[in-house]
Amino acid sequence: MGETRENETQDVDLTAINTIRFLAVDMVEKANSGHPGAPLGQAPLAYLLWTRHMRHNPDDPDWPNRDRFVLSCGHASALLYALLHLAGYGLPMEELQRFRQWGSKTPGHPEHELTRGVETTTGPLGQGLGNAVGMAIAERLSAARFNRDGFPLLDYRIWVIASDGDLMEGVSHEVSSLAGHLRLSQLKVFYDDNHVSLDGPTDLSFSEDVEKRFQAYGWRVLHVDDVNDLAAMEAAIAAAEAETERPTLVRVRTVIGYGSPNKAGTSKAHGSPLGPEEVIATKKALGWPTEPTFLVPDAAHVPFDAARERGRKLEADWEALLRAYRAAHPEDAADFDRRLAGKLPDGWEASLPSFKPGDKPMATRAASGQVINAIAPHLPELVGGAADLASSNETLVKGVPNFTAANPAGHNFYFGVREHGMGSTLNGIALSRLWIPYGGTFLIFSDYMRPPIRLAALMKLQVIYVYTHDSIFLGEDGPTHQAVEQLAALRAIPNLTVIRPADAVETAEGWRVAVGHRHGPVAFALTRQALPILAETAEKAREGVPRGAYVLSDPADGPPQVILIATGSEVALALESAKKLAEEGIKARVVSMPSWELFAAQTREYQESVLPPGIRKRVAIEAASPMGWHKWVGSEGDFHGIDRFGASAPLKDLIREFGFTPEKVSERVKRLL
Ligand SMILES: Cc1ncc(C[n+]2csc(CCOP(=O)(O)OP(=O)(O)O)c2C)c(N)n1
C-alpha cells in the first residue's frame, strides 16, 4: 500500500517535471526563438523548490515575507514562465503561447513588474545573483529592524538558480565574496553545473573548482550528482534550508537539453529551438505525448495546487502574526506599513540642512555628507555605504553602527572595492521596498557598475548613487581618475536621473528630489574641490532644482543676448563670466542646469521660460564631454567643455590649461556673437 502511494507520487512528480520541460520546449518552438536546453535540465530542481520548499502564495506575489526565487540565468525564462503558469500566478496559457512576442507578459528574459511573480529582471548574467545577495541583505536588515520577541515577521529565504555564465561573470565573484563575509544564511544558490555554455563545453574557458571557490568565500557547499535523483535533491535542499550560519551553494549536475537524443549535453541545446523533429524525438525519449503541444495533464496540477494551498495558509498565518504585531508593537508596525505603502515619513524634509551664501566654500561631496547625516535619523529606511571610498564620498552616517554579520541592524555598509557588486546588491536591497539604498564611489568608476545602474533604471528602482570627484578638477590623480565622458554615458541611460549640483544648496535640494523620486535611480555627480555657496542658489534652488534647470541671473538692463548654461562646478564660473561680459556690454543670462532629465520632464512653457526660443546664442559650460549638449544649446550654440582625457596636475593648473576661466569663456561667447 505504502509502496503504491510512493510510486504514484513519483509518477506525479515526473509528470509535473515533464510538463514544465515541454511547456518550455513548446514555447521556444512556437516563438522560434529562445533557450530550451536549460529548462530541460533544470526542471526537476525548480519543481522541487516551487512545490515543496518555497514559502510563497501565488495569490499574493507582494506578500512581504514570501521566499524569493531568482532565475539568475534569465535566458532560461521559459522555465520560469512555465512555473508561474502552473503555480497559479495568473500567467495564462495564451501568454506562454505568445512567448517573446510584442506586448506579451513573457518577454525573452524575465522582467520585474511586467510579469506577476518575477522578483527581478535577469538576463545579463551574474546580475540575478548580485540582486539575490542584496535581497538577503535586505532580509537581515528588515528582520533586525522589525522582528520582535515572538514576532518573526520577516524570515524569508532567497532561492537562486545560477548557471555557468553567472559564475564566470566577475560580478559573481564580488557578490559571493561579500555574501560569505556577511554570512547571509538565507541565501540558497543552486549552481546548474551542466558543463556547457553558449560557445560549447565550459572547459574551453572555465576550469576552476567551483566548490572550493565558494568554500573559500565561507559558504556551505553541497553537491548533487544527478538532478533527476529527486531523493538526493530533496536531501540537499533540506540541508540548504537547515543552514543558519552561512550562505549555501549546491552544485547540481544537470544535462543541458536533457532528453533530446541529438542535442542533449551540447551547446546545440542552448540558444535555439530544438526543431520540430527533435522536439518529437525528445518527447518520445521522455515518454511524453507528441500531441497536443502545450500539454498540461491534470496530474501536473496536483503538486502545484497543493503548494498553493500551503502558501495561502502560510500567508494567512503570517497575516494573523502581523495583526498581533500591530497590537503589541504599534509603532514598529506603523513604520512597516508606511514603508510598504511607499510613503516617506512625515516631515523628513524639515531635517534637510540649509546652507548660506556666507558659509565657507564647500565641496558638494561634503555637503552631501552633511545632508545624509542630517536626514538619516528622520528617514529610517535610508541605508548605504561606499565601495571603499566612504571617506571620499562622505557616505558614512556618524554614530550609526556598521551593517555586519554580527550586527545586521547597522545601516552603514562597507561594500569593499566592489563597485559592480555594490550596484547589483543595491538593486536587490531596493527590491524589498522597505529600504532606500545608496552607494558611493568616484564618478569615473560608475563605468565599473554600469550594468546594474541600467537594470535599476529598467526596473524603476529607487537607488541613489553618490558619485564624487566628478571632473578633471579632482586634480593630481590624473586622467585615469578624471571623469570626462561619464556624465554623457549616464545621461544616455533611460529613466536614470543625473544631478550635478552647483553648490551645497543645490546638493541639499538634489537630495530632496532623490529621496522623493520613488520610481527610478538618481545619480549625483559631486565635486572633490570646494565650491562657493552662491547667493543666487540660496534664493532660487528650492524651486529650481526639482525643475532641472532655472534662471540664476539675468542682465540688469534689458533682455539677454546670450544664455550661459552651466552645471555643477561650472555654475560659479558662468556667473563670473556673465559679470565680465557685462563689463564689456554683453548681456548674458545664466542658467543652472543640475539635471537634464528633470528639465526634460517640464512643460514646454517652463522650458521656454528658461531657454527662450528667441535667444539662439547659447553656450553650455561643463567640464566634460560635449556629447548631447546640442539638445540644449541648439545649432547656433556652442559648448565650453573637454573633448580629450584630463591630466595629472594641481587644480589651478588644470583650470588654466583647460581654459575654465571667465576670460576663456567670454572669448568663446564673443566668438559666437
Ligand atoms: C553578461 C552577459 N553576457 C553574455 C550573455 C549572452 N549569453 C546568454 S546565455 C550565455 C551562455 C550561458 O551559458 P550557461 O550560463 O552555462 O547557460 P546554459 O548554456 O547552461 O544554459 C551567454 C554567453 C548574457 N546573457 N549576459
Side-chain angles (χ1 to χ4, degrees), residues 82 99 111 118 153 167 173 194 247 365 393 433 483 502 527 595 633:
F99 181 46
E111 293 180 34
V118 173
L153 204 59
L167 298 194
H173 293 255
N194 65 16
R365 62 178 167 136
N393 282 88
R433 311 277 172 199
T527 62
S595 173
V633 299

Side-chain angles (χ1 to χ4, degrees), residues 35 38 75 123-125 163-166 169 192 194 196-198 256 270:
H35 302 252
H75 62 273
L125 289 163
S163 63
D164 296 304
D166 285 304
E169 287 292 348
D192 176 28
N194 65 16
V196 171
S197 64
L198 198 152
I256 193 167
H270 172 83

Side-chain angles (χ1 to χ4, degrees), residues 319-397:
E319 287 291 346
L321 180 75
L322 179 62
R323 279 194 295 277
Y325 179 80
R326 285 197 180 111
H329 301 283
E331 284 179 17
D332 295 328
D335 187 20
F336 183 69
D337 290 337
R338 173 186 66 74
R339 295 193 201 187
L340 285 178
K343 295 202 183 109
L344 294 167
D346 286 337
W348 77 270
E349 291 178 60
S351 63
L352 279 163
S354 51
F355 299 100
K356 302 204 176 42
D359 293 351
K360 270 206 332 224
M362 184 188 290
T364 51
R365 62 178 167 136
S368 169
Q370 288 194 17
V371 172
I372 293 174
N373 274 276
I375 63 177
H378 305 274
L379 198 60
E381 54 266 60
L382 189 70
V383 291
D388 203 40
L389 284 170
S391 50
S392 284
N393 282 88
E394 310 229 9
T395 43
L396 205 67
V397 182

Side-chain angles (χ1 to χ4, degrees), residues 566-603:
T567 80
S569 45
E570 286 68 70
V571 172
L573 170 63
L575 288 168
E576 280 178 56
S577 306
K579 274 194 205 124
K580 183 159 171 47
L581 287 164
E583 285 161 15
E584 301 177 41
I586 298 170
K587 299 183 194 113
R589 162 178 283 191
V590 175
V591 168
S592 175
M593 190 182 269
S595 173
W596 286 18
E597 298 79 15
L598 295 175
F599 188 58
Q602 301 307 307
T603 61

Side-chain angles (χ1 to χ4, degrees), residues 35-39 42 72-76 109 122-127 162-169 171 191-200 202 206 254 256 266-267 269-271 420 451:
H35 302 252
Q42 295 167 5
S72 192
C73 43
H75 62 273
H109 296 84
T122 54
L125 289 163
Q127 294 302 327
S163 63
D164 296 304
D166 285 304
L167 298 194
M168 288 185 207
E169 287 292 348
V171 68
Y191 161 39
D192 176 28
D193 180 22
N194 65 16
H195 296 198
V196 171
S197 64
L198 198 152
D199 275 349
T202 46
F206 190 48
T254 75
I256 193 167
T266 74
S267 60
H270 172 83
H420 195 171

